[in-house]
Amino acid sequence: MTCKEAILSNEYADIILDYTLPGEFLSRLNFDYCFRRVDDEFGIVQIERQKIPELSLGVNNYASIPKLYGLMQTFQAENLIEMGNIRIQNPPLSLQGKGVIIGFIDTGIRYQLDVFKDEEGNSRILSIWDQTIQSGEPPEGFLYGTEYTREEINQALRSDTPLAVVPSTDENGHGTAMASAAAGSIINQGLTFRGAAPQADIAVVKLKGAKDYLRNFYVINDAATAYQENDIMEAVKYLEQMAVVFKRPVVIVLGIGTNMGSHTGASMLGAYINKIAAKRSRAIVVCGGNEGDKEHHYSGTVPDQVEFRVEENTKGFCMELWGCRVDTYIAYIRTPGGEMTPIIDFRNEVDRNISFLFDKTKIYAGIVLVEQRSGDELIFLRFEDPTPGVWSVIVSPSEQERLRGTGCFNIWLPITEFIDGAAQFLEPSPETTLTEPSNVENVITISAYNGLNGSWFPESGRGYSRNNMIKPDLAAPGVDVSTALGGRTGSSLAAALSAGCVAQFMEWAIVEQNAPFIESVGIKSYFIRGAVRENNIVYPDKRWGYGKLNINGTFETLART
C-alpha cells in the first residue's frame, strides 16, 4: 500500500510524534508504515491497525492519538464599524490587506462567488488544497489531496461548468462564510459587500473528515463534522510556507476547536502553532469556541462528588479529568441506579473496561499519571450506551495524607456537536471553557460579543486557561456577522473578522515597512494597546481578555506615541 493510500485508509492508524524517527529504526520495522516530517520536531506516521493493539492510553501516548476538532459556528456591516475597520480601510491609511495572505483551514470555499473576485472578475484565491479530492496532484511536499492554483481557478471561472474544471467546493458553508467576512469584497450595481480586509489574497485548505476508527474511539455523533489533529497540522504547514513561496505575510485563522486535551495549549497541534506564531511575517488567529454556556465543564477540589445528567437516546461520549500537580487522584463512578465501579487509579497501570450487573452501560477508563505534554494526571473515561439519568463521579486524593497541593481538578465533556444526545454537569463552571487550541500562548485568541449592542455573547468560551494563562486575548463581534451567505453567528466569525484586522495591520507593518519583523505576539501587543475597555470591568477579564479589538484605536495609540 502506498503512503497516500495509508493516509486515507481507515485500516491505518495515524500517530503524531514530537520527535523524528531515524531511518535505521524505520528500516527495521516488519510491517507497513508511512512516516513524514511536519518540521524538525514533529512527525506523522501511519501504521497498519491490525499490527498494533487497539487504541488505549495504556499502550498509546495520549498526546500521539489525534484529537478531533469541530466547527465553531452556531447557526452586519455594523460589526466592521464597531471594530474600526471602515475608518482604517479609508484614507489616510487606506489599509485593506493588500499584499497579505489570509489562510483558512476549514470546510473549503465556494470560489465561484463574486465576493472572491477582483474588479476584472479574476479570482483573489491564490490556491485551494482540497484534502478530500484525490484525483489531482497534491501540493509539493505533501502526499494526499489535490491543489488547485489561481490559474486553474480562473480557468474554471471562465468555464460554463466551473466545477468540472475545479471540483472543489464548500458543501457546509462555514469556510465560505469565514473567508467572506475576513476578506470578501464586491461592488455591483450599487450593492456593496466588504469584509474586514477586502484586498487581501486568500488561501484555503479544505480538511478531510476524520477516520472512522477515531470517530468510534471518541464516540463522535455520526452527523458531526470532525477533523483530525494531524491533518490540521499539515494544513498549517502548507499555509505558513506561503510566506516564503510568495514573499508575503500570512495570517492563518482557525475557526475550529475541541474540548479534548489539557486546556493549557500543550497538545501536539498547540505546540506546533505556537512555534509558527513566533515566526516573523506570520500570525495565527484562533476562535475561543462556543462552549461557554453548554454546561460541559466542571471545576472542583477533592474530595468531591461530580454529578452530570445524561439525556435519553445518547449514544455515548468521552470525559476527561485533569488533575493539578502535585496531587494524585482516584475516582469512582456511580450509575443512575446506584451501582459503583471499582477504584479507577493510576496504580492499576492498565486501562480498564468496566461493565455493570444491572446497567447496560460500558465504560472504558484510561489513566495517565504524567501526561507527556502537560505533565499532569489524566483520567480518560469513555461511556458507551449510557443509561439516561444522573450519574456521579466521586473524586478523591489517592491517599488523604498525601494531598500536598491544592487538590484542584477539571473535567470536560465533548463539544456539543460531538455528542449524539445530551450530557451536562448539574453544577457546571462557565469559566475555562475556551476550546483548544485557543489556549496556546503565542496565538491571538478571540472571544465573541454582539457588535450590534455591545453585549457579551453567552455561548462564547471564557478564560483563563487551566494553567491560569491570560486567555482570551481580545473580544470581537461574533453575532449576526455579515457574510456572503447571510448573517452568521459564532466565535469563528469573530476570529475571521479579527484575522482581517491582522491583515490590515500587516499591510501597514510589513508591506509598508513600518514594523517589518512583526509576528503574532507583537501584533497582539499593538492590538491590546488600542482595545476598547469599559470602566466597570477590570482587565484582563476572563470574558473580554484585554478588551474589544479596535484597530482604529491601535493606530490612534500609535499616533500619540
Side-chain angles (χ1 to χ4, degrees):
M1 182 174 284
T2 66
C3 278
K4 178 178 179 179
E5 290 170 330
I7 291 169
L8 302 173
S9 174
N10 190 58
E11 301 307 312
Y12 281 71
D14 299 283
I15 300 172
I16 307 174
L17 305 176
D18 56 359
Y19 55 88
T20 55
L21 291 170
E24 60 271 19
F25 173 82
L26 292 171
S27 65
R28 293 198 299 268
L29 296 180
N30 60 356
F31 50 80
D32 287 344
Y33 69 90
C34 173
F35 173 76
R36 63 203 180 280
R37 296 187 179 190
V38 177
D39 67 357
D40 57 356
E41 178 180 359
F42 297 100
I44 301 169
V45 63
Q46 276 79 32
I47 301 176
E48 283 185 275
R49 289 174 53 211
Q50 289 185 345
K51 299 295 179 66
I52 59 176
E54 286 296 316
L55 281 183
S56 72
L57 272 65
V59 175
N60 305 96
N61 181 348
Y62 169 82
S64 295
I65 303 172
K67 311 304 173 289
L68 300 190
Y69 291 71
L71 304 174
M72 295 293 111
Q73 175 183 292
T74 61
F75 327 61
Q76 315 271 5
E78 289 84 350
N79 288 314
L80 298 184
I81 297 172
E82 171 77 10
M83 298 177 70
N85 289 89
I86 299 297
R87 181 172 294 183
I88 299 304
Q89 287 177 2
N90 293 316
L93 289 172
S94 300
L95 298 175
Q96 301 193 33
K98 189 173 183 179
V100 180
I101 301 169
I102 305 181
F104 300 88
I105 300 172
D106 216 276
T107 61
I109 192 167
R110 298 177 189 175
Y111 66 84
Q112 309 100 308
L113 295 180
D114 289 341
V115 290
F116 304 125
K117 300 175 185 176
D118 61 22
E119 295 178 355
E120 285 74 40
N122 295 313
S123 181
R124 291 172 47 227
I125 303 171
L126 290 176
S127 67
I128 301 170
W129 177 24
D130 193 323
Q131 295 182 351
T132 71
I133 297 177
Q134 311 306 326
S135 56
E137 290 296 319
E140 184 178 355
F142 297 85
L143 299 176
Y144 64 109
T146 300
E147 181 182 42
Y148 300 99
T149 65
R150 173 178 276 176
E151 291 72 23
E152 291 171 313
I153 297 169
N154 282 332
Q155 181 184 351
L157 293 176
R158 292 190 293 269
S159 170
D160 293 334
T161 55
L163 289 177
V165 181
V166 174
S168 180
T169 190
D170 177 10
E171 298 87 353
N172 181 287
H174 187 269
T176 299
M178 287 190 61
S180 61
S185 62
I186 181 172
I187 300 176
N188 184 15
Q189 297 178 350
L191 177 64
T192 301
F193 179 91
R194 178 164 52 179
Q199 290 189 19
D201 284 321
I202 298 166
V204 175
V205 179
K206 180 177 179 178
L207 293 167
K208 73 176 181 68
K211 293 182 178 179
D212 287 343
Y213 85 93
L214 282 172
R215 296 181 69 102
N216 293 335
F217 178 74
Y218 292 118
V219 203
I220 302 296
N221 176 8
D222 292 340
T225 301
Y227 302 115
Q228 289 184 204
E229 185 175 11
N230 52 297
D231 289 321
I232 300 168
M233 292 175 71
E234 298 230 53
V236 172
K237 177 180 179 179
Y238 172 77
L239 293 175
E240 77 92 7
Q241 289 177 345
M242 289 187 170
V244 176
V245 174
F246 291 97
K247 295 182 173 58
R248 299 186 198 176
V250 173
V251 187
I252 299 173
V253 55
L254 291 170
I256 53 181
T258 186
N259 273 346
M260 302 174 188
S262 67
H263 288 74
T264 63
S267 67
M268 299 286 201
L269 173 62
Y272 179 57
I273 65 175
N274 203 47
K275 292 172 60 176
I276 301 302
K279 289 186 175 183
R280 294 173 180 173
S281 299
R282 281 84 157 174
I284 297 181
V285 181
V286 182
C287 71
N290 302 331
E291 289 289 305
D293 66 347
K294 298 302 187 295
E295 301 176 337
H296 286 169
H297 171 237
Y298 184 91
S299 178
T301 304
V302 293
D304 198 358
Q305 178 171 303
V306 183
E307 295 183 320
F308 61 98
R309 178 181 288 107
V310 177
E311 302 295 339
E312 296 276 358
N313 302 316
T314 300
K315 174 183 174 182
F317 53 86
C318 293
M319 173 186 289
E320 295 185 3
L321 184 156
W322 291 85
C324 298
R325 283 173 277 182
V326 294
D327 301 311
T328 57
Y329 303 79
I330 61 173
Y332 303 86
I333 300 173
R334 180 187 293 124
T335 72
E339 283 192 77
M340 294 283 289
T341 66
I343 183 174
I344 300 171
D345 190 336
F346 76 91
R347 289 175 297 182
N348 294 320
E349 297 183 350
V350 293
D351 298 344
R352 306 190 66 172
N353 290 299
I354 302 169
S355 57
F356 301 93
L357 182 61
F358 299 106
D359 195 291
K360 64 185 180 191
T361 308
K362 296 186 182 301
I363 298 175
Y364 159 81
I367 305 95
V368 180
L369 178 60
V370 179
E371 193 276 321
Q372 176 189 346
R373 303 296 306 185
S374 67
D376 296 323
E377 182 176 356
L378 164 64
I379 299 177
F380 178 95
L381 303 170
R382 183 177 68 234
F383 292 75
E384 297 179 10
D385 198 16
T387 298
V390 175
W391 290 73
S392 299
V393 179
I394 297 92
V395 188
S396 303
S398 58
E399 294 178 21
Q400 186 63 44
E401 65 272 19
R402 294 184 62 189
L403 182 60
R404 300 171 183 171
T406 63
C408 68
F409 66 92
N410 289 267
I411 308 178
W412 282 273
L413 289 161
I415 61 173
T416 304
E417 291 76 9
F418 282 0
I419 302 179
D420 186 3
Q424 299 94 16
F425 292 110
L426 298 190
E427 296 183 7
S429 170
E431 297 178 350
T432 322
T433 50
L434 294 168
T435 52
E436 293 283 35
S438 64
N439 294 293
V440 172
E441 182 176 10
N442 287 338
V443 305
I444 302 171
T445 302
I446 303 295
S447 60
Y449 71 95
N450 189 331
L452 303 178
N453 59 25
S455 64
W456 174 252
F457 176 49
E459 294 186 25
S460 182
R462 306 180 191 185
Y464 296 143
S465 67
R466 187 174 65 86
N467 57 350
N468 218 33
M469 188 191 328
I470 295 171
K471 289 287 179 176
D473 299 301
L474 296 155
V479 177
D480 197 22
V481 174
S482 292
T483 78
L485 305 180
R488 294 282 179 120
T489 294
S491 66
S492 60
L493 279 304
L497 291 179
S498 301
C501 290
V502 173
Q504 287 181 292
F505 191 83
M506 280 183 144
E507 180 184 358
W508 173 84
I510 299 173
V511 178
E512 297 182 359
Q513 292 289 296
N514 290 295
F517 303 118
I518 202 78
E519 26 62 34
S520 279
V521 175
I523 295 170
K524 184 193 309 185
S525 296
Y526 276 110
F527 281 5
I528 287 172
R529 283 164 173 78
V532 175
R533 287 179 272 273
E534 306 294 335
N535 293 330
N536 61 339
I537 298 175
V538 176
Y539 297 91
D541 179 74
K542 293 183 178 181
R543 295 181 301 169
W544 303 94
Y546 286 95
K548 299 176 181 177
L549 195 159
N550 188 290
I551 190 169
N552 183 62
T554 294
F555 283 101
E556 287 182 346
T557 300
L558 284 167
R560 292 194 295 268
T561 58

